Amino acid sequence: MIYFKNVSKIYPPDVVAVKDVHLKIEPGEMVSIVGQSGAGKTTLVKLLIAEERPSKGRIQIGDWDITNIKVSEIPILRRQIGVIFQDFKLLPKKTIFENVAFALEVCGAPDSRIKKIVPQILEIVGLEKKMHRYPDEISGGEQQRVVIARSLVHAPKIVIADEPSGNLDAINTDEIVSIFKKINELGTTVLLVTHNREMVNALRRRVVTIDRGSVSNDQAEGNFIRQ
Amino acid sequence: MTRPKVISFANKSFWRNLGLSLTTILILVLTLISFNVVLSVNAMTKAALQLVEGRIDISLLFKVDAPIAKIDELRAALGKIPKVTSLIFKSRDDVLTDFKTKHAKDQEILSALSELPENPLGAILIVRAASSQDYEVILSAIDIPEYNSLIEQKTFEDHATIIKKIGAMTNRMQKGAVAISVLLLIIAFLIIFNVIKVAIYTHREEISVMRLVGASNWFIRAPFLIEVILFNFLAVILSAILLYGFLQFGDNYVKSFFVGSGFSLMGYFNGNFVRIFVGEFLALSVLGVMSGSLAMRKYLKV
């Protein structure tokens, strides 16, 4: 369970990015967080992966209160949350296999585990045949799938995708949505932070609307609501 | 399991930024060479002082009419002073023989000497001590009227001035060496600080992904620190190779200058090999870890 309890984030001197957000997301849920640019969606993601600390309120993941998480505990938290950013953050000099393996390598995983897990994950996202190519040798949609694969290598309990369809056309967006559905069906909590109306409406899952830092709407099975 | 990965990352980073790595090592080698030159000059100055000190003694020139019994009494008194390492006594006849040998080719002096009714030269007592500072103690011990009445001349005063001058010069050089060493350490600190900043900039994408996927702080920082330690290790090895290469040729000149004392720079560096080179490596590594941590603190905030 992800629990934001009256969370606010104020940047000095007085810029309110998130204001009194009260939000509960149950394990295994798939939730779209929508809102205009600057509404505070990405700040929520940053608070969840401890890149930012809340100014007020509490954040809890399961029984773990991460409001004042220690710096040494942040890596442990991030291994439990797979994050997918719009700008992919793929390393251009590494192959697809190496990019995915990198996430395991830097956490000290043995080579035998890396060789076993990475092909399995790449198979889930349909890239097992392109694992030796470099990022600039595959399409934008395929690059996004590599990022998804990378976020899954630690078998996270939560996957957060910040604008996952930002650089993709409609066909690729459909493919990505189906992958997220697949991930969610395996029991992983999925948070989609997006602008993409079609994507949200096609999912027919819970939609949380953020407006000027606050939750303005929370529908159990909703559509993208224009602000 | 993490340790080999960290070393592997450091190794990859070293080769990927080969130009930067080699430039850093080159600058560190130049810094170490400068430091070794300071050490060499310091060692040579100390050796020169020892050489001069080794050649110093007190010569007590006795009056011609000084009674031999009194001279023997003075010899016995000096023999009891612990700082005295040797006493060489030359009787009036020995002094005359030495004088004649020294001026064997100078007939004018020899004929003038033969015209004198008796030996005009007094006995000599040569006193040696371990250190130049001991002579002051020895001189003050025999500075009593009973002995002063026997002595025509004491020849220590001239040497004392030389010793004081060399001592002052050595002190100044040692202070200079410390100042240069501190300067070189500051340079090494700044080099490493900037190298890590550049390395972090080069790896900024990887670091961003590392943070994102949950790499520990240690895992992100350790490769940079290991890289710095690798730079230091290679720089110390290279500077030692260059130094010994130079000593193969240059040490002969140093030996010829210190002929008789047995001092050589090769001998100095061989004798202090572990202290100098391991010391340089450890000092650079401590400095590297400090400056590296400082550089990373700013750029690797979680």
Side-chain angles (χ1 to χ4, degrees), chain B residues 52-59 126-129 135 155-156 159:
Chain B
V52 174
E53 278 184 338
R55 288 178 184 170
I56 286 170
D57 53 38
I58 303 172
S59 291
I126 300 165
V127 187
R128 286 208 170 120
Y135 289 111
T155 60
F156 178 69
H159 297 317

Side-chain angles (χ1 to χ4, degrees), chain A residues 49 51 71 74-75 78-79 83 85 89 91-92 94 102-103 105-111 114 150 154, chain B residues 1-2 5 8-9 12 16 203-217 219-221 302:
Chain A
I49 60 170
E51 201 173 312
V71 171
I74 292 174
R78 289 185 185 166
R79 285 175 208 176
V83 188
F85 281 106
K89 293 188 193 292
L91 302 171
K94 288 184 186 289
F102 187 70
E105 271 183 290
V106 298
C107 296
D111 287 343
I114 292 171
R150 188 178 65 193
H154 293 304
Chain B
M1 198 56 73
T2 313
K5 294 266 181 217
S8 156
F9 269 64
K12 279 180 194 167
R16 187 188 294 176
H203 292 82
R204 63 195 182 283
E205 284 181 341
E206 278 184 31
I207 290 168
S208 138
V209 175
M210 280 182 178
R211 288 168 53 192
L212 193 70
V213 298
S216 66
N217 291 345
F219 196 98
I220 297 174
R221 289 166 191 217
V302 179

Side-chain angles (χ1 to χ4, degrees), chain A residues 18-179:
Chain A
V18 169
K19 191 180 168 189
D20 208 25
V21 167
H22 196 86
L23 186 66
K24 253 187 197 178
I25 296 165
E26 295 297 332
E29 263 196 286
M30 186 168 190
V31 181
S32 299
I33 297 175
V34 301
Q36 289 180 331
S37 292
K41 308 186 295 293
T42 301
T43 305
L44 278 182
V45 174
K46 286 181 177 174
L47 287 168
L48 209 49
I49 60 170
E51 201 173 312
E52 297 286 357
R53 303 289 173 109
S55 310
K56 280 183 205 164
R58 273 176 49 213
I59 304 171
Q60 216 171 310
I61 293 176
D63 295 328
W64 190 5
D65 190 335
I66 63 159
T67 315
N68 295 308
I69 188 170
K70 288 180 192 165
V71 171
S72 59
E73 290 176 340
I74 292 174
I76 301 164
L77 170 73
R78 289 185 185 166
R79 285 175 208 176
Q80 296 182 31
I81 301 175
V83 188
I84 298 147
F85 281 106
Q86 184 180 2
D87 59 357
F88 302 153
K89 293 188 193 292
L90 289 174
L91 302 171
K93 289 179 183 174
K94 288 184 186 289
T95 64
I96 305 308
F97 180 93
E98 288 166 343
N99 262 286
V100 177
F102 187 70
L104 286 167
E105 271 183 290
V106 298
C107 296
D111 287 343
S112 55
R113 187 161 167 245
I114 292 171
K115 281 177 189 164
K116 188 182 167 193
I117 288 180
V118 176
Q120 288 175 358
I121 299 284
L122 286 172
E123 199 177 335
I124 291 173
V125 297
L127 285 171
E128 69 277 16
K129 288 180 183 164
K130 295 185 177 177
M131 66 168 82
H132 299 300
R133 293 198 189 175
Y134 287 88
D136 61 358
E137 294 172 350
I138 57 175
S139 70
E142 286 169 330
Q143 286 182 26
Q144 185 65 288
R145 281 191 269 158
V146 178
V147 181
I148 294 170
R150 188 178 65 193
S151 73
L152 295 176
V153 284
H154 293 304
K157 291 172 185 162
I158 301 162
V159 168
I160 304 171
D162 192 5
E163 301 292 0
S165 61
N167 287 325
L168 305 178
D169 57 26
I171 296 168
N172 278 315
T173 302
D174 286 347
E175 278 182 10
I176 297 299
V177 166
S178 66
I179 290 171

Side-chain angles (χ1 to χ4, degrees), chain B residues 117-139:
Chain B
E118 61 175 87
N119 181 0
L121 303 169
I124 295 176
L125 183 61
I126 300 165
V127 187
R128 286 208 170 120
S131 162
S132 60
Q133 280 103 35
D134 297 341
Y135 289 111
E136 299 285 349
V137 180
I138 295 167
L139 281 172

Side-chain angles (χ1 to χ4, degrees), chain B residues 244 247 251 255 262-273 276:
Chain B
Y244 276 93
L247 289 180
D251 202 28
K255 276 187 200 162
F263 176 81
S264 80
L265 275 179
M266 184 78 90
Y268 170 73
F269 280 104
N270 282 343
N272 295 287
F273 190 89
I276 292 173

Side-chain angles (χ1 to χ4, degrees), chain B residues 58-62 71 75 88-92 95 98 121-126:
Chain B
I58 303 172
S59 291
L60 301 176
L61 308 180
F62 293 102
I71 294 173
R75 281 173 67 187
I88 300 165
F89 179 69
K90 290 184 178 179
S91 66
R92 292 181 64 203
V95 174
D98 286 350
L121 303 169
I124 295 176
L125 183 61
I126 300 165

